[in-house]
Amino acid sequence: MISLKQPKCSRQMSESWPTVALLTFSGGLQDAYSYCVRGKVFANAQTGNIVLMSQCFFAGEWLGGVHYLVPLFAFAFGVFIAEQIRARYAALRAVHWRQLIVLGEILLLFAVGFFPSSMDLAGNALVSFACAMQVQAFRKINGYPYASTMCIGNLRSGVEAFSAYLRTKDSALVKKAGHYFGVIGLFALGAGTGGMLCGQLGLRTIWVCCALLSIGFSLMFLKEDIQENAEIQTAWTHIRTDAAQAEAEARNIGHALSQEIQQQAKELHNPDER
C-alpha cells in the first residue's frame, strides 16, 4: 500500500521577513553612512561609483577615480569570498554558512567605526566588501529573489509582478509585488534613519548596523516552518488522488493476472476440461 504524507518542511530563517527586514534596513543605513560621512561614496550600489569613477578618470583626476575604484574592487572581492565560504562551509551543522557571513560583516563594520576621516578610503572599501558578502549570501525572501543592499532589481521585479497581475488577476502576483515594494520601503527607511544618525553619531553610526546584524545573526539559529499555500496544497491533493488510483489499478491488474494463472494451471492439470 502506498503511503503519502504531506511533507512538513522547515527552512533556515535567512529567507524570513524578520531577517530580511534587519538586513535591508541595515543595507540602506550603510549606504547613507558611506555617502554622508565617508566621502560621498556608495558602498552598496556600485553603479554610482562606476559613473563617478569614469568622470574622474576622463577629467584627468586620477586620485579621484581611485577613490571610487577601490570600493568597486572591494565589492567584487566580497562576492568572491562569500561564494568561497558557501562552497567550503555549506555542510556545517553548528551554524549556517550565512551566519558566518553575517558574523564577518559585523566584525568588519565594527572596525570601520574606529577609522578616522583620514582613512575614508579603507573604511569605504571594508563597507563595500561587507555589503557584497551580504548581497551574495542573502538572495531570497520567501522564495522570491531579491537584493538587500540595492533597489533597482527589486523595483523592476515588483513592477513586473504588478503588471502581470493587472493582466492575469492572479492574487499571488500581488503578494509577490508587495514583497519587493516592502523591501524597497525598508531600504529607504534605513537610508533615511542613517542620514539622521550620521549628524548625531558621525563615524560611529555604522555600529547601529552591527546591532541590527547581531539580531539577525541570532534569529538564524531558529527554524521557520514553511506554510504551504493553496496552490501547493491543491497540487499535493492531486498527487495523492493519482497515487490512490494507480494503486487501485495495480490491485485490479494483479487480481486479473492471478485468476488467469489459476485458470491456466487448472487446464494443464485437467486437459479433458479444455
Side-chain angles (χ1 to χ4, degrees):
M1 180 178 180
I2 300 174
S3 178
L4 291 175
K5 295 182 179 180
Q6 189 168 357
K8 294 182 179 180
C9 302
S10 64
R11 65 178 169 204
Q12 215 262 344
M13 286 285 285
S14 57
E15 292 186 22
S16 69
W17 255 113
T19 305
V20 168
L22 292 166
L23 294 172
T24 305
F25 189 95
S26 175
L29 200 155
Q30 290 171 46
D31 233 6
Y33 172 79
S34 64
Y35 188 82
C36 292
V37 301
R38 291 293 183 184
K40 298 188 182 302
V41 170
F42 295 103
N44 300 349
Q46 297 302 315
T47 302
N49 289 336
I50 292 173
V51 171
L52 295 172
M53 176 193 68
S54 299
Q55 289 179 351
C56 288
F57 283 152
F58 273 82
E61 300 173 3
W62 304 108
L63 289 178
V66 171
H67 185 69
Y68 298 105
L69 180 62
V70 170
L72 181 63
F73 277 132
F75 190 93
F77 190 55
V79 172
F80 175 80
I81 292 299
E83 178 59 20
Q84 291 296 311
I85 291 174
R86 182 203 64 79
R88 180 168 297 191
Y89 299 108
L92 279 180
R93 294 187 177 183
V95 294
H96 195 277
W97 68 270
R98 291 188 180 94
Q99 287 176 285
L100 298 179
I101 297 290
V102 174
L103 183 60
E105 189 177 2
I106 292 170
L107 295 175
L108 290 173
L109 297 181
F110 186 73
V112 169
F114 290 105
F115 288 12
S117 296
S118 59
M119 296 179 64
D120 281 351
L121 188 61
N124 285 327
L126 288 183
V127 173
S128 293
F129 179 85
C131 288
M133 290 200 302
Q134 178 177 311
V135 78
Q136 177 66 14
F138 297 89
R139 302 165 66 176
K140 288 186 178 181
I141 170 174
N142 291 336
Y144 302 126
Y146 88 111
S148 63
T149 63
M150 56 195 73
C151 291
I152 185 65
N154 297 329
L155 181 60
R156 184 201 63 77
S157 298
V159 173
E160 179 185 46
F162 183 71
S163 175
Y165 164 73
L166 293 179
R167 295 194 312 272
T168 65
K169 305 304 179 184
D170 184 354
S171 59
L173 292 170
V174 175
K175 181 180 179 182
K176 182 178 181 179
H179 277 73
Y180 288 113
F181 294 141
V183 168
I184 293 171
L186 285 167
F187 185 92
L189 186 61
T193 302
M196 290 191 301
L197 291 176
C198 284
Q200 301 173 9
L201 302 177
L203 299 176
R204 308 292 187 261
T205 304
I206 198 67
W207 289 345
V208 177
C209 294
C210 295
L212 295 171
L213 294 171
S214 296
I215 298 172
F217 175 83
S218 301
L219 284 176
M220 282 187 281
F221 280 108
L222 305 175
K223 297 288 184 181
E224 181 186 45
D225 291 334
I226 300 176
Q227 295 181 350
E228 304 293 344
N229 59 32
E231 233 177 79
I232 296 176
Q233 289 178 348
T234 301
W236 185 250
T237 300
H238 289 326
I239 291 173
R240 294 181 62 182
T241 301
D242 292 344
Q245 290 176 348
E247 184 179 4
E249 290 177 3
R251 284 200 302 267
N252 292 335
I253 292 172
H255 183 67
L257 287 174
S258 177
Q259 287 185 326
E260 185 175 348
I261 290 172
Q262 289 177 359
Q263 180 63 31
Q264 290 179 352
K266 184 178 180 181
E267 290 176 354
L268 287 172
H269 284 84
N270 301 285
D272 295 336
E273 294 182 6
R274 294 181 181 180

